[in-house]
Every structure is written in C-alpha cells, then in structure tokens.
Amino acid sequence: MNAHGYILSKQIQWAYRNNIVLIGSKVNRGRKAYTQKLGDNLFEPLMIEIRNNFKEADGGELTGNPCKMQAVHSSSALGVNIFQYWKRMNINKTHFRTKRKVW
C-alpha cells in the first residue's frame, strides 16, 4: 500500500470509529471518503473570516456537493483544524519571540 492509500484508509477508519457517516465524491458514487456535512470534518465550526478567505480563493474548497473540504483526506480541512484554533486564541508570532541570543 502506498502512503496516500494508507493515510486515506486511516482517515476513513477514524470517521467510522467516531460514527461519522461517509458519502462518495458524487454522493451516491465514488469511494466513501467524504463527510455528509462540512462540520463533521472540522474540530470546530469554520470562522466567518476563514470561510470568506476560502470563498475568495481559487481552490473551490467550499463549492460543490460534497465540497473538497468534506474529504477526510482534505489538506485544507487539516489546515483549518490546526490553525483556526490559534487564530481564534489570537496567538501570533510575537508570543514566541525570545530575548535569548542565538550563537
């Protein structure tokens, strides 16, 4: 099994373990690797600002049924799940500055 197939199978297993119903890429057709609702693939609801950023971008992550971000293997969903939390907590690079000199 290649890396992509392995990760996809693990993501599908995660969905089943969490009682998340999966659908195909064409709803009734295709491999069942998409959540029925976008919120099922995100740790927390998509912030308005983040949603607008995706809508303005060219990737079409939020268009279609199901949309690309509903895929359990979606890199954009992964990014939202990791970085939206920090945005909501209002943490930025100034929180990580140090006074220590580097060699």
Side-chain angles (χ1 to χ4, degrees), residues 16-65:
Y16 286 130
R17 279 193 315 272
N18 290 282
N19 298 315
I20 297 171
V21 177
L22 296 179
I23 59 175
S25 58
K26 304 291 183 214
V27 183
N28 294 324
R29 296 185 315 215
R31 186 170 187 180
K32 293 185 177 186
Y34 290 76
T35 58
Q36 284 185 319
K37 299 177 291 192
L38 176 58
D40 290 341
N41 206 25
L42 302 175
F43 291 155
E44 56 186 38
L46 202 55
M47 293 169 55
I48 300 294
E49 177 184 0
I50 304 297
R51 180 180 294 276
N52 289 339
N53 288 340
F54 276 107
K55 284 182 177 179
E56 292 172 5
D58 293 333
E61 295 296 324
L62 299 175
T63 59
N65 183 31

